[in-house]
Amino acid sequence: MTALLEVRDIEKSFGGVQAVRGVSFDVRDGEILGVIGPNGSGKSTLFNCILGQLVPDRGSVRVNGRDVTGLRPSRLNRLGVSRTFQLLQVFPELTVRENLILAGQEHRGSRLSRLFGPRDAGLGAEADRMLDFFRLRRLEDETAGSLSYGQQKLLDAAMAFMSGSRLVLLDEPAGGVNLTMLADLRERLEAINRETGVTFVVIEHNMEFVMALCSRLIVLAEGRIIAEGAPADVRRDPLVIEAYLGH
Ligand code: ADP
Ligand code: MG
């Protein structure tokens, strides 16, 4: 069976810094894969190479068997691939609902959806689904900037799932989120995976969160994969323990 996402031998340097040094992995359709590793291990750079924010120096990225290496993010969005960034990307002046619709329009990238009002082309209905999925319904008319940080992170995640994204990459969705919201976020992500079959890859620092959410983990250190497998095994791996303690 072909993987939904195939990452092969990705390398990326910034001047003298080799941020990613030959990373390969597959993601199966419907899977929740976690990417962990100490600060500076290359996680965000790897995401940027997969999602077209950066062009890798070497290697390839395939989605559903199609070579998408170096394609711009807008092109990838239209192929059903989207992401969140490590830092919040919500529009504080817009309402929760407007943020969702805007994300949907951006993912489609169609001039048609920009020309017609926000309720066209099923985006309103999709926003409704996301409001329910992420339990943001009662906040739909609040401006995003008036939400708590945790609620904004929920909204940020919900935006990535707009417009039928089939593969979503989340960069530290739990970063800075308090414990109660954390459980909520994890549960919501599990629900959307279970009920819609959407695949995602999650970079996360919070070990408890990632261990509970993901069926498989890959561990990066200094730009390379040093371990890969079930969360319980990865956690016991001496190389992983050393990578974390060494920092
Ligand atoms: P992580 O997300 O795992 O914390 P990053 O991918 O952000 O790691 O960074 C990996 C390495 O690449 C770090 O040494 C970082 O300083 C460097 N790096 C990342 N982005 C840039 C950039 N735009 N310019 C120069 N160096 C960068
Ligand atoms: Mg990062």
Side-chain angles (χ1 to χ4, degrees):
M1 202 186 75
T2 10
L4 180 60
L5 174 69
E6 294 168 75
V7 174
R8 287 290 172 277
D9 219 13
I10 294 289
E11 288 182 10
K12 184 71 191 176
S13 296
F14 302 102
V17 180
Q18 288 182 291
V20 179
R21 311 180 187 211
V23 168
S24 302
F25 64 94
D26 283 351
V27 185
R28 291 185 301 275
D29 199 7
E31 184 175 17
I32 305 180
L33 174 73
V35 179
I36 64 172
N39 251 329
S41 55
K43 304 182 297 296
S44 291
T45 303
L46 179 63
F47 262 28
N48 290 339
C49 288
I50 296 171
L51 268 295
Q53 272 82 27
L54 291 171
V55 179
D57 301 332
R58 247 195 81 185
S60 67
V61 179
R62 284 175 178 272
V63 173
N64 253 329
R66 174 176 171 174
D67 190 348
V68 300
T69 318
L71 280 192
R72 277 176 289 121
S74 57
R75 294 279 309 279
L76 283 158
N77 288 162
R78 267 171 274 162
L79 294 173
V81 185
S82 67
R83 72 172 297 174
T84 67
F85 289 85
Q86 193 164 347
L87 300 173
L88 272 172
Q89 301 275 314
V90 302
F91 297 93
E93 309 291 326
L94 299 181
T95 67
V96 167
R97 186 184 187 80
E98 287 164 346
N99 267 282
L100 288 168
I101 303 256
L102 208 67
Q105 288 175 337
E106 201 176 300
H107 292 166
R108 289 189 181 177
S110 88
R111 290 189 40 216
L112 218 61
S113 61
R114 271 185 225 132
L115 285 171
F116 293 95
R119 282 184 184 273
D120 83 290
L123 281 178
E126 259 210 80
D128 283 335
R129 283 181 59 220
M130 288 308 149
L131 288 166
D132 290 335
F133 252 123
F134 285 89
R135 304 223 174 104
L136 292 164
R137 172 64 73 186
R138 69 192 166 81
L139 299 168
E140 67 177 313
D141 296 322
E142 307 289 329
T143 57
S146 70
L147 307 186
S148 73
Y149 182 76
Q151 289 166 334
Q152 291 187 49
K153 289 289 275 189
L154 261 185
L155 172 60
D156 195 35
M159 286 163 68
F161 290 92
M162 280 294 292
S163 275
S165 296
R166 297 304 301 155
L167 172 63
V168 177
L169 282 72
L170 303 162
D171 196 346
E172 301 205 17
V177 174
N178 72 39
L179 278 180
T180 323
M181 284 298 295
L182 217 59
D184 211 32
L185 176 65
R186 178 164 65 76
E187 193 218 336
R188 296 297 85 213
L189 290 173
E190 281 166 356
I192 202 166
N193 171 262
R194 194 171 53 237
E195 289 171 38
T196 72
V198 63
T199 305
F200 39 99
V201 184
V202 187
I203 291 180
E204 192 43 67
H205 253 319
N206 185 314
M207 281 287 207
E208 297 305 322
F209 181 88
V210 93
M211 297 262 165
L213 178 67
C214 301
S215 46
R216 190 163 63 97
L217 297 180
I218 64 178
V219 188
L220 286 184
E222 295 173 2
R224 287 195 183 89
I225 294 182
I226 58 161
E228 181 167 1
D233 298 332
V234 160
R235 161 173 255 166
R236 282 195 297 265
D237 191 312
L239 278 177
V240 176
I241 295 167
E242 193 197 316
Y244 272 91
L245 292 181
H247 258 73

